[in-house]
Amino acid sequence: MCGIVGYIGKKNCVPIIIEGLKRLEYRGYDSAGVGVIAGDDITVVKRKGKVTELQNAVTEQNVTGNVGIGHTRWATHGEPNEINAHPHYNQDRSLIVIHNGIIENYNSLKTGLKNIGYEFRSDTDTEVFAHLIDSFIRRGYDVSKSVRLALNEIDGTYGLAVMYAKEPDKIVVARQGSPLVMGIGDNENFIASDVSALIAYTKQIVYFEDGEIAEVYADHFVTKTIHDKEIEKIATEVNLTVDEIDKGGYDTFMMKEIMEQPDSCTNSMRGRLVFDEGTAKLGGLTDVVEKLLDCKRFLISACGTSWHAGLVGEYLFEHYLRIPTEVEYASEFRYRNPIIYPDDAVFFISQSGETADSLAALREAKRKGALCLGICNVVGSSIARESHAGVYTHAGPEIGVASTKAFTSQLIVLGLITLLLARRKSMSIAEGKEIVHAYQELPHKIAEILKLNKSIEEIAEQFKNANNFLYLGRGAHFPVALEGALKLKEISYIHAEGYPAAEMKHGPIALVDENMPVVFIAPKDSTYEKIVSNIEEIRARKGKVIAIATENDTEIDRLADHVIKIPNSARMTMPILTAIPLQLLAYHIAVKKGLNVDQPRNLAKSVTVE
Ligand code: M6R
């Protein structure tokens, strides 16, 4: 949440910062601000709303400079307005701070600072930083030491950047719990909360770790721990292009990402399928495969869509591996002193690899001695780096706030892990080959489903004014129902619930009348007949039925008001296919309501605060 960008070098930093903030807008978009060193002063411009508002303001005021920092905000403390937007000043306006994270002890710090004469202008926790650092500068310390001393008084999380007009040759940055990277250029350096803001300028990236603080100059940087121990950091080259983070001719990132799924799924499988042996090859698990085979229990921890992927994983692991699996929200896992046995493995699933709850859950599981595995999309992200082993999903950058291609790639990776382990256990080579074949056919089948875009749009037209939706599925399609409901509520603001289809009779059926659309995920599998009975029960109460069914199913035509027919596939791969029409349905309903699907209200792509 919140985006940070900074530049120090010889160029005008303002367009670089504005461009970077636009790339990071998916992290927060309620207000934005920029601060630039201008002679002996710092010029700050802030605006409520999108980065374009800020861009207009800096252009109008002709703000320029060679050193600057900028921020796009997702409000935690204080409503989204110009005063609460970052950067925040110290008292004499010689120092500014931008911050991503939450200062948990800000109230007591604020009281202490007020008692010694500091006046606060905003409602934010971040302003505390500015005054606290100032209080050390007043005691005669330089800005870096003042930041370090201030950080030692902070409880909470931060990715932050500080500029001080009296030491204009540097930007001081620090990280604890919120991502922060530095890009190395030629006599210029960049900082950002996310690599995507920097790749137009450099691919040489330094990832800061928790507890690190750095002085960033135009031609070098110095990193220490916040306990003043010098550390050496090495840059790594990132393999990402600007094209990958553009809309590529689509109206929205979300549509681009939905349509990319034949390719993103291919990328998730690339080099990982071994047809002759009917298995999968996952380099990131090589060192831990034997341990995984000895595990008595798997745990999966994640948030949101990634948690839904985890629930599908539970079905796969238990069905094919016979390993008991528990899936838990990371936000619950981290605080309930989870029971972890020595022969447990814990999987952490996260698109961003930066979700605060998932990262904290990972650290808790590590403290308790668990084998921790990351399933992440963002290469080099915190969860990926801190896990003992793991598998990247390689879906490519996902910018739309509502997760689409990252979800289907998570399902692919969970399936490949299942296949790899099942073949080492009791799965026959024949079954393994069938599954590998099903994976090989997936991109083509996804492309077939995407051709239904127009007809799904027509269905969306009929339901765009609904106030509620139910999504029902059984087995591994129950989590897909949850995911379909989440997609709809995130971007269309229509209330939607997902349930196991049979559970409907235990309560939700009371909601059903002629105004209630019910989406059934009803592929021809072992529970098909049961689903048909559930559809009849909805029809008997005049509910409107939209069914996701397999292409050769004719029975469903007489039962459902609308049928979306998709190709059949193996049990393991079917949830990947059923998820896609639900993404399109949610998308079209939201667009028809005139909503911004890429930046839905109140949400941010990467939830790096609790
Ligand atoms: O980056 P992560 O996968 O850890 O993110 C978890 C959730 O915040 C995320 O899936 C969220 O629910 C999305 N907005 C879903 O579309």
Short mmCIF file of all heavy atoms in Angstrom, two decimals, residues 540-569:
data_model
loop_
_atom_site.label_atom_id
_atom_site.label_comp_id
_atom_site.label_asym_id
_atom_site.label_seq_id
_atom_site.Cartn_x
_atom_site.Cartn_y
_atom_site.Cartn_z
N ALA A 540 -36.91 -23.56 -8.32
CA ALA A 540 -38.22 -23.69 -7.65
C ALA A 540 -38.55 -22.41 -6.87
O ALA A 540 -39.71 -22.15 -6.57
CB ALA A 540 -38.21 -24.90 -6.73
N ARG A 541 -37.53 -21.66 -6.55
CA ARG A 541 -37.75 -20.39 -5.81
C ARG A 541 -37.56 -19.17 -6.70
O ARG A 541 -37.34 -18.08 -6.23
CB ARG A 541 -36.80 -20.37 -4.60
CG ARG A 541 -37.29 -21.30 -3.53
CD ARG A 541 -36.21 -21.88 -2.65
NE ARG A 541 -36.81 -22.90 -1.78
CZ ARG A 541 -36.88 -24.20 -2.09
NH1 ARG A 541 -36.38 -24.65 -3.23
NH2 ARG A 541 -37.46 -25.05 -1.26
N LYS A 542 -37.58 -19.43 -7.99
CA LYS A 542 -37.54 -18.37 -9.03
C LYS A 542 -36.21 -17.64 -9.13
O LYS A 542 -36.13 -16.56 -9.72
CB LYS A 542 -38.68 -17.36 -8.82
CG LYS A 542 -40.07 -17.95 -8.95
CD LYS A 542 -41.09 -16.82 -9.05
CE LYS A 542 -42.46 -17.29 -9.48
NZ LYS A 542 -43.05 -18.36 -8.68
N GLY A 543 -35.17 -18.18 -8.51
CA GLY A 543 -33.84 -17.56 -8.66
C GLY A 543 -33.37 -17.66 -10.11
O GLY A 543 -33.79 -18.56 -10.84
N LYS A 544 -32.54 -16.72 -10.52
CA LYS A 544 -32.02 -16.74 -11.90
C LYS A 544 -30.69 -17.50 -11.91
O LYS A 544 -29.77 -17.16 -11.17
CB LYS A 544 -31.75 -15.31 -12.38
CG LYS A 544 -33.01 -14.46 -12.47
CD LYS A 544 -33.78 -14.78 -13.75
CE LYS A 544 -35.11 -14.06 -13.83
NZ LYS A 544 -36.11 -14.46 -12.82
N VAL A 545 -30.61 -18.53 -12.76
CA VAL A 545 -29.43 -19.40 -12.73
C VAL A 545 -28.50 -19.12 -13.91
O VAL A 545 -28.93 -19.12 -15.06
CB VAL A 545 -29.87 -20.89 -12.75
CG1 VAL A 545 -28.65 -21.80 -12.86
CG2 VAL A 545 -30.67 -21.22 -11.49
N ILE A 546 -27.25 -18.88 -13.57
CA ILE A 546 -26.19 -18.79 -14.58
C ILE A 546 -25.28 -19.98 -14.31
O ILE A 546 -24.77 -20.11 -13.19
CB ILE A 546 -25.38 -17.49 -14.43
CG1 ILE A 546 -26.31 -16.27 -14.49
CG2 ILE A 546 -24.27 -17.40 -15.47
CD1 ILE A 546 -25.68 -14.99 -13.98
N ALA A 547 -25.10 -20.84 -15.30
CA ALA A 547 -24.30 -22.06 -15.04
C ALA A 547 -23.03 -22.05 -15.87
O ALA A 547 -23.05 -21.70 -17.05
CB ALA A 547 -25.13 -23.30 -15.36
N ILE A 548 -21.93 -22.42 -15.21
CA ILE A 548 -20.68 -22.69 -15.92
C ILE A 548 -20.66 -24.21 -16.09
O ILE A 548 -20.58 -24.94 -15.08
CB ILE A 548 -19.44 -22.27 -15.11
CG1 ILE A 548 -19.61 -20.87 -14.49
CG2 ILE A 548 -18.17 -22.39 -15.93
CD1 ILE A 548 -19.73 -19.74 -15.45
N ALA A 549 -20.77 -24.67 -17.32
CA ALA A 549 -20.92 -26.12 -17.54
C ALA A 549 -19.93 -26.59 -18.59
O ALA A 549 -19.34 -25.78 -19.31
CB ALA A 549 -22.34 -26.41 -18.00
N THR A 550 -19.80 -27.92 -18.69
CA THR A 550 -18.87 -28.45 -19.70
C THR A 550 -19.57 -28.55 -21.06
O THR A 550 -20.78 -28.70 -21.15
CB THR A 550 -18.29 -29.81 -19.27
OG1 THR A 550 -19.13 -30.41 -18.31
CG2 THR A 550 -16.95 -29.67 -18.69
N GLU A 551 -18.76 -28.49 -22.12
CA GLU A 551 -19.31 -28.21 -23.45
C GLU A 551 -20.28 -29.27 -23.97
O GLU A 551 -21.19 -28.95 -24.71
CB GLU A 551 -18.17 -27.99 -24.46
CG GLU A 551 -17.20 -29.12 -24.58
CD GLU A 551 -15.91 -28.71 -25.28
OE1 GLU A 551 -15.80 -27.56 -25.75
OE2 GLU A 551 -14.99 -29.54 -25.32
N ASN A 552 -20.13 -30.53 -23.55
CA ASN A 552 -21.02 -31.55 -24.09
C ASN A 552 -22.28 -31.75 -23.23
O ASN A 552 -23.06 -32.67 -23.44
CB ASN A 552 -20.28 -32.89 -24.20
CG ASN A 552 -19.64 -33.27 -22.86
OD1 ASN A 552 -19.75 -32.49 -21.90
ND2 ASN A 552 -19.02 -34.42 -22.80
N ASP A 553 -22.49 -30.88 -22.27
CA ASP A 553 -23.61 -31.04 -21.35
C ASP A 553 -24.87 -30.39 -21.96
O ASP A 553 -24.94 -29.17 -22.09
CB ASP A 553 -23.26 -30.37 -20.01
CG ASP A 553 -24.35 -30.51 -18.98
OD1 ASP A 553 -25.42 -31.07 -19.32
OD2 ASP A 553 -24.15 -30.05 -17.84
N THR A 554 -25.85 -31.21 -22.29
CA THR A 554 -27.08 -30.65 -22.88
C THR A 554 -28.18 -30.55 -21.83
O THR A 554 -29.09 -29.72 -21.94
CB THR A 554 -27.58 -31.51 -24.05
OG1 THR A 554 -27.55 -32.88 -23.63
CG2 THR A 554 -26.71 -31.32 -25.28
N GLU A 555 -28.05 -31.39 -20.81
CA GLU A 555 -29.07 -31.40 -19.76
C GLU A 555 -29.21 -30.01 -19.10
O GLU A 555 -30.30 -29.55 -18.78
CB GLU A 555 -28.65 -32.44 -18.71
CG GLU A 555 -29.68 -32.70 -17.66
CD GLU A 555 -29.17 -33.68 -16.59
OE1 GLU A 555 -28.08 -34.25 -16.76
OE2 GLU A 555 -29.90 -33.84 -15.59
N ILE A 556 -28.06 -29.36 -18.96
CA ILE A 556 -28.05 -28.09 -18.22
C ILE A 556 -28.84 -26.99 -18.96
O ILE A 556 -29.37 -26.08 -18.34
CB ILE A 556 -26.58 -27.64 -17.99
CG1 ILE A 556 -26.47 -26.63 -16.84
CG2 ILE A 556 -25.94 -27.07 -19.23
CD1 ILE A 556 -26.01 -27.21 -15.58
N ASP A 557 -28.97 -27.15 -20.28
CA ASP A 557 -29.63 -26.10 -21.07
C ASP A 557 -31.08 -25.86 -20.63
O ASP A 557 -31.58 -24.75 -20.67
CB ASP A 557 -29.62 -26.46 -22.56
CG ASP A 557 -28.22 -26.53 -23.09
OD1 ASP A 557 -27.34 -25.88 -22.49
OD2 ASP A 557 -27.98 -27.23 -24.09
N ARG A 558 -31.74 -26.92 -20.20
CA ARG A 558 -33.15 -26.75 -19.81
C ARG A 558 -33.26 -26.26 -18.37
O ARG A 558 -34.32 -25.85 -17.93
CB ARG A 558 -33.92 -28.05 -20.03
CG ARG A 558 -33.64 -29.11 -19.04
CD ARG A 558 -34.51 -30.33 -19.07
NE ARG A 558 -33.96 -31.26 -18.09
CZ ARG A 558 -34.23 -31.23 -16.80
NH1 ARG A 558 -35.06 -30.34 -16.32
NH2 ARG A 558 -33.65 -32.09 -15.97
N LEU A 559 -32.16 -26.29 -17.64
CA LEU A 559 -32.23 -25.94 -16.22
C LEU A 559 -31.84 -24.49 -15.94
O LEU A 559 -32.42 -23.84 -15.07
CB LEU A 559 -31.27 -26.84 -15.42
CG LEU A 559 -31.65 -28.31 -15.31
CD1 LEU A 559 -30.51 -29.09 -14.70
CD2 LEU A 559 -32.92 -28.46 -14.49
N ALA A 560 -30.85 -24.03 -16.68
CA ALA A 560 -30.29 -22.72 -16.34
C ALA A 560 -30.83 -21.63 -17.27
O ALA A 560 -31.17 -21.90 -18.42
CB ALA A 560 -28.77 -22.78 -16.45
N ASP A 561 -30.92 -20.40 -16.75
CA ASP A 561 -31.33 -19.28 -17.60
C ASP A 561 -30.23 -18.93 -18.58
O ASP A 561 -30.48 -18.50 -19.70
CB ASP A 561 -31.64 -18.07 -16.71
CG ASP A 561 -32.79 -18.37 -15.78
OD1 ASP A 561 -33.94 -18.31 -16.22
OD2 ASP A 561 -32.53 -18.71 -14.60
N HIS A 562 -28.99 -19.05 -18.14
CA HIS A 562 -27.84 -18.74 -18.99
C HIS A 562 -26.80 -19.82 -18.76
O HIS A 562 -26.51 -20.14 -17.60
CB HIS A 562 -27.24 -17.39 -18.64
CG HIS A 562 -28.23 -16.28 -18.74
ND1 HIS A 562 -28.50 -15.64 -19.91
CD2 HIS A 562 -29.03 -15.73 -17.80
CE1 HIS A 562 -29.43 -14.73 -19.71
NE2 HIS A 562 -29.78 -14.76 -18.43
N VAL A 563 -26.24 -20.34 -19.83
CA VAL A 563 -25.20 -21.37 -19.67
C VAL A 563 -23.93 -20.88 -20.37
O VAL A 563 -23.97 -20.43 -21.51
CB VAL A 563 -25.64 -22.71 -20.29
CG1 VAL A 563 -24.59 -23.78 -20.02
CG2 VAL A 563 -26.98 -23.15 -19.72
N ILE A 564 -22.83 -20.97 -19.66
CA ILE A 564 -21.53 -20.66 -20.27
C ILE A 564 -20.79 -21.99 -20.37
O ILE A 564 -20.45 -22.60 -19.35
CB ILE A 564 -20.74 -19.67 -19.38
CG1 ILE A 564 -21.55 -18.37 -19.21
CG2 ILE A 564 -19.37 -19.38 -19.99
CD1 ILE A 564 -21.01 -17.44 -18.13
N LYS A 565 -20.62 -22.45 -21.61
CA LYS A 565 -20.03 -23.79 -21.77
C LYS A 565 -18.54 -23.70 -22.04
O LYS A 565 -18.10 -22.95 -22.92
CB LYS A 565 -20.73 -24.52 -22.90
CG LYS A 565 -22.15 -24.92 -22.49
CD LYS A 565 -22.69 -26.03 -23.34
CE LYS A 565 -24.11 -26.34 -22.85
NZ LYS A 565 -24.89 -27.04 -23.82
N ILE A 566 -17.80 -24.49 -21.30
CA ILE A 566 -16.33 -24.43 -21.41
C ILE A 566 -15.80 -25.84 -21.68
O ILE A 566 -16.48 -26.83 -21.38
CB ILE A 566 -15.70 -23.86 -20.11
CG1 ILE A 566 -16.00 -24.76 -18.90
CG2 ILE A 566 -16.18 -22.44 -19.85
CD1 ILE A 566 -15.23 -24.38 -17.66
N PRO A 567 -14.60 -25.94 -22.24
CA PRO A 567 -14.04 -27.27 -22.52
C PRO A 567 -13.84 -28.07 -21.23
O PRO A 567 -13.61 -27.50 -20.16
CB PRO A 567 -12.68 -26.97 -23.15
CG PRO A 567 -12.74 -25.55 -23.57
CD PRO A 567 -13.71 -24.86 -22.66
N ASN A 568 -13.90 -29.38 -21.38
CA ASN A 568 -13.65 -30.25 -20.23
C ASN A 568 -12.14 -30.41 -20.04
O ASN A 568 -11.36 -30.19 -20.97
CB ASN A 568 -14.29 -31.62 -20.48
CG ASN A 568 -14.54 -32.36 -19.18
OD1 ASN A 568 -14.29 -31.82 -18.09
ND2 ASN A 568 -15.01 -33.58 -19.28
N SER A 569 -11.74 -30.80 -18.84
CA SER A 569 -10.32 -31.04 -18.59
C SER A 569 -10.20 -32.02 -17.44
O SER A 569 -11.21 -32.45 -16.87
CB SER A 569 -9.62 -29.72 -18.27
OG SER A 569 -8.23 -29.89 -18.23
#
